[in-house]
């Protein structure tokens, strides 16, 4: 979707687990263009994956 200011934004349908949010992942991201939006989404999913990997190794 495009905001009134012309920025694109995306929101995950399912929230991240609390531990992932605490690690810095954001459910909603925005960017100036589609490439930037895809990069922002990938960055948040990367944070989530790293956090999940960390939790699995701590068990």
């Amino acid at each position: 979707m495009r905001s009134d200011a012309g920025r694109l934004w995306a929101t995950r349908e399912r929230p991240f687990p609390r531990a992932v949010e605490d690690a810095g992942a954001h459910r909603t991201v925005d960017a100036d263009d589609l490439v930037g939006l895809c990069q922002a989404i990938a960055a948040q999913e990367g944070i989530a994956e790293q956090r999940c990997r960390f939790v699995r190794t701590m068990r």
Side-chain angles (χ1 to χ4, degrees):
M1 302 203 119
R2 193 171 291 274
S3 72
D4 292 343
R7 291 183 60 82
L8 297 171
W9 57 272
T11 300
R12 281 181 118 249
E13 289 184 16
R14 285 184 289 153
F16 286 116
R18 180 69 182 183
V20 172
E21 288 181 357
D22 290 346
H26 301 286
R27 183 178 179 185
T28 301
V29 294
D30 66 331
D32 290 324
D33 56 33
L34 188 56
V35 171
L37 187 62
C38 290
Q39 290 171 338
I41 292 167
Q44 300 312 303
E45 295 296 331
I47 291 169
E49 179 60 31
Q50 288 176 351
R51 179 63 184 162
C52 289
R53 201 174 303 142
F54 174 77
V55 169
R56 282 192 294 258
T57 61
M58 297 301 291
R59 291 182 182 167

